């Protein structure tokens, strides 16, 4: 099982999703999908708190990793889970690059290249000081 980083956002759910999208796209990353999991649940008569999965990456950065270890494609593109918890606080979760090191035969040191977005994610959901 891989580690997960969890950050409590200083912003509402909707604002957190927007801030993350803007921050990622502003650094040249591609948002491949934003899956509204609450809407999917509601479409079948179920309810759940606001939950969105953001699927993002950069083919220029990810492709060399998949060429070095084809099965590593299971980990790409990267994902962020944004959800509202029972107390109404917004949580942001992701698998840190360090936890991906060596998975699926990826050569040592290559997973670190995926960590560039992590400080960006933290800054996007932290209160302005």
């Amino acid at each position: 099982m891989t580690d997960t980083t969890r950050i409590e956002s200083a912003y509402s759910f909707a604002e957190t999703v927007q801030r993350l999208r803007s921050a990622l796209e502003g650094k040249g990353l591609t948002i491949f999908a934003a899956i509204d999991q609450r809407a999917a649940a509601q479409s079948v008569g179920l309810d759940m708190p606001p939950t969105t999965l953001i699927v993002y990456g950069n083919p220029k950065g990810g492709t060399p990793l998949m060429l070095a270890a084809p099965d590593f494609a299971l980990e790409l593109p990267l994902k962020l889970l944004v959800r509202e918890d029972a107390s109404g606080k917004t949580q942001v979760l992701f698998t840190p690059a360090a936890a991906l090191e060596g998975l699926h035969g990826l050569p040592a040191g290559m997973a670190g290249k995926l960590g560039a977005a992590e400080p960006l994610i933290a800054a996007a959901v932290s209160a302005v000081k």
Side-chain angles (χ1 to χ4, degrees):
M1 182 166 196
T2 58
D3 298 332
T4 301
T5 295
R6 176 186 309 265
I7 303 170
E8 185 176 301
S9 178
Y11 303 96
S12 70
F13 175 82
E15 188 172 355
T16 297
V17 170
Q18 185 53 48
R19 290 177 66 87
L20 288 166
R21 290 182 66 110
S22 294
L24 293 168
E25 290 174 330
K27 287 295 183 182
L29 296 165
T30 300
I31 305 287
F32 295 107
I35 303 166
D36 183 339
Q37 294 175 320
R38 181 184 203 184
Q42 290 172 334
S43 76
V44 294
L46 300 172
D47 195 27
M48 64 185 291
T51 306
T52 295
L53 184 69
I54 299 172
V55 182
Y56 73 97
N58 179 331
K60 188 174 182 178
T63 302
L65 279 68
M66 292 184 283
L67 290 171
D71 294 349
F72 194 74
L74 283 169
E75 307 302 327
L76 299 174
L78 297 171
K79 294 166 257 340
L80 286 173
L81 178 65
V82 183
R83 67 177 189 80
E84 190 174 280
D85 67 19
S87 67
K89 296 189 186 289
T90 301
Q91 305 291 323
V92 177
L93 294 88
F94 60 90
T95 303
L100 300 173
E101 189 65 45
L103 286 182
H104 311 291
L106 188 69
M110 291 190 79
K113 297 175 183 180
L114 299 172
E118 293 172 18
L120 179 70
I121 292 163
V125 301
S126 297
V128 177
K129 295 180 183 180

